[in-house]
Amino acid sequence: MFYKNKLAKIVYSPDIYGYDEDGLVGIYDGMFDQLVKSYGQPITNVFGAYEDTLEQIPFVDGGYYMSKWKKGDTLITLLLQGFEDGYSLSMQYVKASIEDQVEAALDAIQ
């Protein structure tokens, strides 16, 4: 996505058709390891958990893994999320100084 003629946000979503949950976790782990090599340990590394028990939410019920890094003025987010009918895997780079403006612009066009 461009904002004011500058690249402000990019999202990479690999084709994950045909992968089972174990395969997707393996892909996420591989991407995570490469990001750690490039940017160091994440500033956030969480998984979806039930508030009352802190047990991990299964992917089929909307569970997720999410890790975030900050490098200079760039926020990097790696996300694996499950849905009732499948999965989503993405890696996003956002220019931190204009993140709120980018999100407001996206909300306005939806």
Side-chain angles (χ1 to χ4, degrees), residues 4-77:
K4 295 187 178 182
N5 295 323
K6 293 183 180 181
L7 183 61
K9 179 178 184 177
I10 188 166
V11 178
Y12 170 67
S13 297
D15 180 8
I16 57 173
Y17 179 77
Y19 284 92
D20 64 8
E21 187 173 306
D22 290 336
L24 291 171
V25 169
I27 293 170
Y28 179 93
D29 288 342
M31 292 173 75
F32 179 91
D33 291 343
Q34 289 301 311
L35 288 165
V36 167
K37 285 180 185 176
S38 296
Y39 305 114
Q41 291 300 314
I43 58 173
T44 303
N45 192 26
V46 297
F47 60 87
Y50 296 109
E51 287 183 29
D52 54 342
T53 64
L54 299 181
E55 282 186 44
Q56 184 174 344
I57 299 171
F59 284 110
V60 71
D61 292 332
Y64 63 89
Y65 292 163
M66 182 176 61
S67 300
K68 291 186 176 191
W69 290 260
K70 185 168 184 184
K71 183 70 173 178
D73 193 31
T74 303
L75 295 173
I76 302 114
T77 303

Side-chain angles (χ1 to χ4, degrees), residues 77-99:
T77 303
L78 180 62
L79 176 66
L80 172 60
Q81 185 171 15
F83 301 95
E84 189 175 300
D85 60 347
Y87 303 90
S88 172
L89 177 63
S90 65
M91 184 170 47
Q92 172 180 278
Y93 289 78
V94 177
K95 187 170 180 173
S97 63
I98 61 170
E99 180 179 26

